[in-house]
Amino acid sequence: MSFDIYPIVQQLRQVRDHWREQQNRTETSHREFPSCEAIAKAMTDLKGVLYPLRLGPADLHQSGEDFYVGHTLDQALRTLQAQAQIELHYRHRSQDTSADFEAQATQTVYTFAQSLPALRQLLDSDVQAAFHGDPAAHSVDEIVLSYPGVLALIHHRIAHALYQLKLPLLARIISEQAHGQTGIDIHPGAQIGPGFFIDHGTGVVIGETAIIGSNVRIYQAVTLGAKRFPKDAQGHLQKGWARHPIVQDDVVIYAGATILGRVTLGRGAVIGGNVWITGDVPPGTHVSQASANVQQAPQHLTLHQAYGNAAAQPDFSAPVAS
């Protein structure tokens, strides 16, 4: 049996040409976009570099760690350099520039490589936070090997470093690969301090401009999102403005909580499950969904008592429990 695929190939070419014309794309002889497959391979290598005996090859022993790390790091950096060069070409494709993208990519990726020891230390603080925060965890090794929250954070810490180095496309691909594997969606622009623990994790969403302090713990289905999306005069969404929450140190956010907008959760606050928050929460405050109240030790205060009047009261309205 044979299929007459020539008309389909021609029609697909017409659709591509139409799309490129709409996007003002010009014909090029080099690859236009970074490769998701190549980036995934680089991430596998980098995870092995960071945790060689736990995330490296099955036959690796401690005596061969340095050789493996050196060889694998060189391989990962070469891949990243090639993909970074493609991203730089892509970003400046509409400009008449004589910039040396190869040199830029090389310097950027080397700067990233120099951050890896500090990045490993940051990840170790996340692993320790998971171990101390989860009574079901038997060892830190179990956490590195199997916890989706740690996998998502390895990807995020790497993606955030590349995001800061002006490689947002590579960073976004890395973060979305973790999203696909874990169900945890962390934008690479989000700033996250040490000792961050995501328990269970499925359905967690952390937006681009979120800022999270030290020793914060969150559970599954938590959203740190935007409340609104203003548009410019042409009706296009405005990008880059701060629109996600600030979570200060030692905050705990339980499952299903939704926090929207540029609000601040004060240090030591505890946000109960399934609450909906669009206003600031003072330090040390407990917000619960079931009783719709705020607690500030040593007192037990209702929302009205805590904030005095409706105008000063943040919106803690919760969705109806199913």
Side-chain angles (χ1 to χ4, degrees), residues 18-49:
H18 178 66
W19 170 259
R20 288 166 180 163
E21 183 179 346
Q22 284 185 320
Q23 303 299 319
N24 296 317
R25 297 283 169 80
T26 57
E27 189 170 343
T28 178
S29 60
H30 57 79
R31 182 179 176 89
E32 287 189 85
F33 315 108
S35 163
C36 294
E37 182 179 357
I39 293 169
K41 177 60 170 63
M43 281 302 303
T44 298
D45 288 342
L46 287 172
K47 284 181 281 191
V49 166

Side-chain angles (χ1 to χ4, degrees), residues 256-260 271-279 289 315-319:
T258 299
I259 299 96
L260 301 180
I271 309 301
N274 297 318
V275 299
W276 184 281
I277 294 176
T278 57
Q289 189 268 353
D315 179 6
F316 293 132
S317 56

Side-chain angles (χ1 to χ4, degrees), residues 96-260:
D96 182 14
T97 178
S98 58
D100 186 347
F101 294 130
E102 181 177 2
Q104 287 185 32
T106 300
Q107 182 57 54
T108 299
V109 170
Y110 183 60
T111 300
F112 162 75
Q114 291 174 305
S115 73
L116 287 174
L119 193 150
R120 162 68 199 250
Q121 289 182 314
L122 197 55
L123 286 166
D124 285 348
S125 75
D126 300 328
V127 172
Q128 288 287 355
F131 180 68
H132 292 303
D134 185 1
H138 293 90
S139 69
V140 291
D141 303 305
E142 174 189 356
I143 289 165
V144 175
L145 287 166
S146 64
Y147 275 39
V150 169
L151 175 60
L153 281 171
I154 292 173
H155 276 250
H156 174 72
R157 300 294 190 192
I158 291 171
H160 183 66
L162 294 172
Y163 184 90
Q164 290 183 306
L165 291 168
K166 311 300 183 186
L167 292 173
L169 184 53
L170 264 63
R172 192 60 185 265
I173 292 170
I174 289 168
S175 68
E176 291 301 333
Q177 287 174 346
H179 182 195
Q181 294 177 59
T182 66
I184 298 169
D185 183 1
I186 310 176
H187 192 284
Q191 301 175 48
I192 300 178
F196 186 50
F197 176 33
I198 305 174
D199 201 359
H200 306 296
T202 304
V204 165
V205 177
I206 301 175
E208 177 185 19
T209 62
I211 300 175
I212 299 174
S214 302
N215 305 314
V216 170
R217 182 165 82 249
I218 69 175
Y219 290 80
Q220 68 271 20
V222 165
T223 297
L224 303 180
K227 183 178 180 181
R228 58 191 179 87
F229 303 96
K231 299 180 179 179
D232 60 22
Q234 288 72 43
H236 302 134
L237 289 179
Q238 296 182 20
K239 300 179 184 289
W241 57 282
R243 60 198 182 277
H244 299 103
I246 297 171
V247 181
Q248 295 184 347
D249 298 348
D250 304 313
V251 169
V252 179
I253 308 174
Y254 284 99
T258 299
I259 299 96
L260 301 180

Side-chain angles (χ1 to χ4, degrees), residues 39-84:
I39 293 169
K41 177 60 170 63
M43 281 302 303
T44 298
D45 288 342
L46 287 172
K47 284 181 281 191
V49 166
L50 290 167
Y51 291 99
L53 294 182
R54 285 170 285 190
L55 301 181
D59 59 350
L60 181 64
H61 298 282
Q62 202 167 28
S63 60
E65 271 187 306
D66 283 347
F67 177 82
Y68 164 76
V69 168
H71 172 76
T72 307
L73 178 59
D74 181 71
Q75 182 174 271
L77 296 180
R78 288 176 185 274
T79 300
L80 282 179
Q81 191 276 344
Q83 300 308 307

Side-chain angles (χ1 to χ4, degrees), residues 270-288:
V270 176
I271 309 301
N274 297 318
V275 299
W276 184 281
I277 294 176
T278 57
D280 292 345
V281 175
T285 301
H286 290 209
V287 182
S288 68

